[in-house]
């Protein structure tokens, strides 16, 4: 009898918890819709970075070339880089900011260029962009009968790290908020294991679309668009945090799609807030 009542109590508790979470989620959705509806009244001042930090981390060349100090080492790595020495800062930044500004407008925000400041406007500065040329180890696996076949291949890669500095009405503290995001661009490989009909040998067949400076610039524009979405979502979730008591706020991080006019939840596709040192 006791076990029966315990089961009923658990079911009732679970049901009540589900109702409470649904109610909390509805409150968040209602406020999220309010934020989206007033987006056209929000002004955002945008400032690009003055330059880009660029590094070549493909250090294998140093095995055959001697150097005497860090300056010589950096010079050798720079000369033997495939991408970073050929990426023009101003061109990369232009593509990056074009994507960022145009996508902010898709969310309905009023964008102010060149860092102009207005009362009650948000200020977004792309404080720093860092490019690191490196290798990425690609792996693919297949199973034939009881055997496991693995293919490993090093791909050219460019790691792009971005730091954003945000100030504005919803953001507490004079130093604002510093947000971080990172993405990796690599050669595009399309491959699969296959059996050679003549020998019966298992081979890995693939097609490689090599990374180039041209598609790095295109990638920069798409990256700017992605981070514009992250910026809007960060402001949206800050708005929810400010206008809902902690007891009514779930741990969901809300995202908004301005094309389909719908909300969804983020997992890793969002900014990482950093601790300000000031």
């Amino acid at each position: 009898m006791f076990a029966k009542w315990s089961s009923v109590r658990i079911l009732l508790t679970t049901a009540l918890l589900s109702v409470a979470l649904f109610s909390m989620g509805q409150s968040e959705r209602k406020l999220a819709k309010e934020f989206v509806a007033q987006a056209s009244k929000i002004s955002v001042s945008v400032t690009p970075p003055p330059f880009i930090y660029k590094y070549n981390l493909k250090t294998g060349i140093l095995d055959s070339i001697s150097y005497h100090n860090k300056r010589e080492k950096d010079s050798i790595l720079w000369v033997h880089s495939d991408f970073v020495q050929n990426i023009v800062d101003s061109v990369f930044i232009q593509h990056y900011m074009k994507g960022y500004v145009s996508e902010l407008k898709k969310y309905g925000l009023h964008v102010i260029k060149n860092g102009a400041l207005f009362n009650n406007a948000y200020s977004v500065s792309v404080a720093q962009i860092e490019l690191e040329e490196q290798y990425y180890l690609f792996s693919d696996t297949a199973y034939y009968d009881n055997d496991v076949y693995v293919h490993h291949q090093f791909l050219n890669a460019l790691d792009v790290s971005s730091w954003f500095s945000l100030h504005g009405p919803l953001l507490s503290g004079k130093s604002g908020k510093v947000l971080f995001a990172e993405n990796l661009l690599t050669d595009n490989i399309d491959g699969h294991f296959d059996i050679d009909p003549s020998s019966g040998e298992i081979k890995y067949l693939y097609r490689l679309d090599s990374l180039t400076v041209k598609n790095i610039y295109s990638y920069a524009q798409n990256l700017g668009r992605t981070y514009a979405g992250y910026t809007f979502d960060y402001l949206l979730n800050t708005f929810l945090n400010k206008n809902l008591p902690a007891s009514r706020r779930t741990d969901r991080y809300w995202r908004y799609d301005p094309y389909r006019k719908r909300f969804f939840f983020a997992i890793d596709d969002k900014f990482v807030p950093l601790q300000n040192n000031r």
Side-chain angles (χ1 to χ4, degrees), residues 47-109:
T47 305
F51 58 88
I52 299 173
Y53 292 91
K54 296 178 289 189
Y55 305 96
N56 180 16
L57 304 185
K58 296 175 179 175
T59 56
I61 190 66
L62 299 176
D63 295 337
S64 57
I65 301 178
S66 61
Y67 60 92
H68 299 90
N69 51 52
K70 186 178 183 303
R71 185 173 181 178
E72 284 188 10
K73 174 184 175 182
D74 292 342
S75 179
I76 293 170
L77 291 175
W78 180 264
V79 170
H80 288 86
S81 66
D82 295 305
F83 309 112
V84 292
Q85 67 168 317
N86 297 311
I87 294 173
V88 180
D89 289 20
S90 60
V91 178
F92 185 97
I93 292 171
Q94 180 184 14
H95 281 79
Y96 187 103
M97 298 307 298
K98 180 181 179 181
Y100 186 79
V101 170
S102 64
E103 194 71 4
L104 283 181
K105 293 178 180 178
K106 294 291 185 182
Y107 284 85
L109 300 172

Side-chain angles (χ1 to χ4, degrees), residues 159-178:
D159 185 85
V160 184
S161 298
S162 303
W163 289 260
F164 289 75
S165 178
L166 272 66
H167 299 76
L170 288 174
L171 307 173
S172 59
K174 292 183 179 180
S175 58
K177 300 296 178 182
V178 177

Side-chain angles (χ1 to χ4, degrees), residues 2-12:
F2 177 77
K4 180 179 179 180
W5 279 109
S6 295
S7 299
V8 171
R9 187 178 297 119
I10 292 172
L11 288 172
L12 287 172

Side-chain angles (χ1 to χ4, degrees), residues 37 126 151 153 180 190 249:
V126 185
H151 175 79
Q153 184 168 340
F180 175 77
D190 182 15
R249 183 76 165 99

Side-chain angles (χ1 to χ4, degrees), residues 3-50:
K4 180 179 179 180
W5 279 109
S6 295
S7 299
V8 171
R9 187 178 297 119
I10 292 172
L11 288 172
L12 287 172
T13 301
T14 303
L16 289 171
L17 181 60
S18 297
V19 170
L21 288 174
F22 177 79
S23 177
M24 291 163 65
Q26 289 298 99
S27 297
E28 289 180 349
R29 182 176 291 274
K30 181 180 178 181
L31 275 176
K33 288 182 177 179
E34 288 182 15
F35 183 81
V36 170
Q38 67 181 25
S40 61
K41 300 178 182 178
I42 300 175
S43 295
V44 180
S45 171
V46 177
T47 305

Side-chain angles (χ1 to χ4, degrees), residues 209-224:
D209 184 10
S210 299
L211 187 61
T212 65
V213 172
K214 183 178 179 180
N215 57 34
I216 287 172
Y217 290 148
S218 297
Y219 171 74
Q221 185 165 333
N222 290 330
L223 202 56

